[in-house]
């Protein structure tokens, strides 16, 4: 577990205290954002990025609490079961909010019903990456190499039901790869071990891997998106690399179901202000992410996405015959 604190300049706190009674009511003490994965991974990075901005907008300290385990479902269970007063919220992802129900028969939350949706935080394509020392130079060469070696290669993921687990399931099944699956509490630690040469490959969010790709500490074969990323102009898409594999991830902010509508509205407004900030938009471009726009914004956009993603991913997982319990 790791905690992070965003301190608000005292002038802003004073301003918040003097403003409208509604603002004085909420938030009048620190807000905890539960990140259901280890610190340093993609969910943690975006939660800190928008959380810091929301802290300035709402004039209150936002604290990050990392509760990893069970592919993120442990942390999201804590959010679902928290008091619905706006002081514990969470940032989940496509795994926790769409894949988990198909993988955990005893899951203690329903992504479509147990939360007051705040909004989509970002969309990010997956990238196929390996440790630096692997010999293949292209995606096609990598697939042949991995197929020949089977379980002699290790695949690191963020736990059963996480995005890296599900995207790996689809990728490995499609190309006939049978690696040794190694679960972690997030892809931040997966990447650390890959840089250290202890994990062979993964399919993870560009958000997480771009800094290491740019530093030359890991190898990238392709971005699983229809178009190249501005921040990685030399890296081919999977289609350009000759394969048909597209996989887009997303993160989402939620509060416990029953949180009063005026509190949810403040969180929605603060999240939207963060998404409109040019500095956050520039960070998103640098990390290969994009912000939700138009109808994708806010609670309705997130509710629609959760329902459509549960319907899309459940049959894929059922067909693969995987469960976590
Ligand atoms: C995932 O694979 O679900 C995420 O990359 C986990 C994380 O944010 O660490």
């Amino acid at each position: 577990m790791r905690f992070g604190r965003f301190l608000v300049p005292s002038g802003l706190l004073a301003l918040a205290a003097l403003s409208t009674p509604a603002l004085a009511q909420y938030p009048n003490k620190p807000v905890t954002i539960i990140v259901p994965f280890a610190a340093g991974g993609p969910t943690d990075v975006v939660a800190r990025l928008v959380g810091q901005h929301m802290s300035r907008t709402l004039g209150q300290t936002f604290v990050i609490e990392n509760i990893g385990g069970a592919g993120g479902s442990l942390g999201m269970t804590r959010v679902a079961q928290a008091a619905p007063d706006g002081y514990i919220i969470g940032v989940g992802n496509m795994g926790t909010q769409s894949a988990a129900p198909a993988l955990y028969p005893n899951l203690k939350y329903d992504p479509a019903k147990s939360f007051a949706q705040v909004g989509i935080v970002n969309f990010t394509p997956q990238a196929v990456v390996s440790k630096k020392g692997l010999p293949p130079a292209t995606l096609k060469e990598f697939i042949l190499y991995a197929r020949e070696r089977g379980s002699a290669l290790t695949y690191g993921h963020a736990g059963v039901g996480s995005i890296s687990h599900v995207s790996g399931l689809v990728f490995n099944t499609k190309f006939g790869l049978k690696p040794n699956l190694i679960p972690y509490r997030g892809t931040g630690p997966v990447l650390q071990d890959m840089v250290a040469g202890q994990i062979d490959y993964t399919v993870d969010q560009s958000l997480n891997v771009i800094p290491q790709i740019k530093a030359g500490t890991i190898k990238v074969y392709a971005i699983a998106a229809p178009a190249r990323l501005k921040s990685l102009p030399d890296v081919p898409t999977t289609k350009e690399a000759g394969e048909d594999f597209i996989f887009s991830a997303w993160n989402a902010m939620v509060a416990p179901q029953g949180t009063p509508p005026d509190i949810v509205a403040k969180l929605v407004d603060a999240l939207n202000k963060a998404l409109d900030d040019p500095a956050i938009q520039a960070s998103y471009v640098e990390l290969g992410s994009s912000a939700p726009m138009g109808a994708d914004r806010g609670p309705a956009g997130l509710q629609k996405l959760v329902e459509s993603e549960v319907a899309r991913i459940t049959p894929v997982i059922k067909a693969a015959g995987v469960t976590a319990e």
Side-chain angles (χ1 to χ4, degrees), residues 36-37 68-75 96 100 104 107 109 158-162 184-185 324:
F37 296 101
S73 61
L74 279 185
T96 60
Y104 293 89
L107 191 69
Y109 64 87
V160 173
S162 64
Y184 287 74
R185 284 175 177 255

Side-chain angles (χ1 to χ4, degrees), residues 35 37-38 40-44 71 93 95-96 126 157-159 161-165 185-189 203-205 208 251:
V35 166
F37 296 101
T43 313
D44 186 68
N93 70 15
T96 60
Q126 298 290 92
H157 64 81
S162 64
I163 302 175
S164 44
H165 174 252
R185 284 175 177 255
T187 49
V203 179
D204 190 20
Q205 294 168 56
N208 201 31
N251 287 284

Side-chain angles (χ1 to χ4, degrees), residues 13-224:
L13 278 176
L15 267 182
L18 287 174
S19 63
T20 63
L23 251 188
Q25 281 160 20
Y26 175 83
N28 61 19
K29 61 179 186 181
V31 174
T32 295
I33 303 181
I34 291 182
V35 166
F37 296 101
T43 313
D44 186 68
V45 168
V46 285
R48 284 172 197 272
L49 204 57
V50 298
Q52 202 156 19
H53 198 283
M54 291 172 75
S55 144
R56 292 202 298 273
T57 302
L58 292 171
Q60 192 45 265
T61 303
F62 274 49
V63 179
I64 298 283
E65 187 177 353
N66 298 89
I67 302 179
S73 61
L74 279 185
M76 295 317 290
T77 300
R78 281 280 285 278
V79 179
Q81 294 177 347
D85 57 8
Y87 290 100
I88 292 186
I89 59 176
V91 173
N93 70 15
M94 197 202 79
T96 60
Q97 306 310 100
S98 293
L103 284 157
Y104 293 89
N106 297 318
L107 191 69
K108 294 192 173 59
Y109 64 87
D110 178 336
K113 294 188 183 143
S114 308
F115 301 99
Q117 315 285 11
V118 176
I120 300 167
V121 176
N122 65 325
F123 297 102
T124 311
Q126 298 290 92
V128 184
V129 295
S130 79
K131 70 181 183 189
K132 199 178 164 186
L134 282 201
T138 64
L139 182 63
K140 275 195 181 295
E141 282 177 25
F142 170 74
I143 290 168
L144 287 176
Y145 178 89
R147 199 180 289 147
E148 274 169 16
R149 279 156 187 82
S151 63
L153 289 193
T154 49
Y155 179 96
H157 64 81
V160 173
S162 64
I163 302 175
S164 44
H165 174 252
V166 176
S167 59
L169 193 67
V170 176
F171 181 82
N172 291 327
T173 306
K174 185 174 180 76
F175 298 113
L177 315 185
K178 295 191 169 66
N180 183 10
L181 301 179
I182 313 286
Y184 287 74
R185 284 175 177 255
T187 49
V190 171
L191 209 58
Q192 277 172 5
D193 279 4
M194 185 177 287
V195 170
Q198 284 153 9
I199 284 290
D200 290 314
Y201 77 104
T202 191
V203 179
D204 190 20
Q205 294 168 56
S206 65
L207 173 61
N208 201 31
V209 296
I210 283 178
Q212 297 295 349
I213 293 169
K214 288 193 165 173
T217 52
I218 60 171
K219 211 164 185 175
V220 58
Y221 298 103
I223 302 293

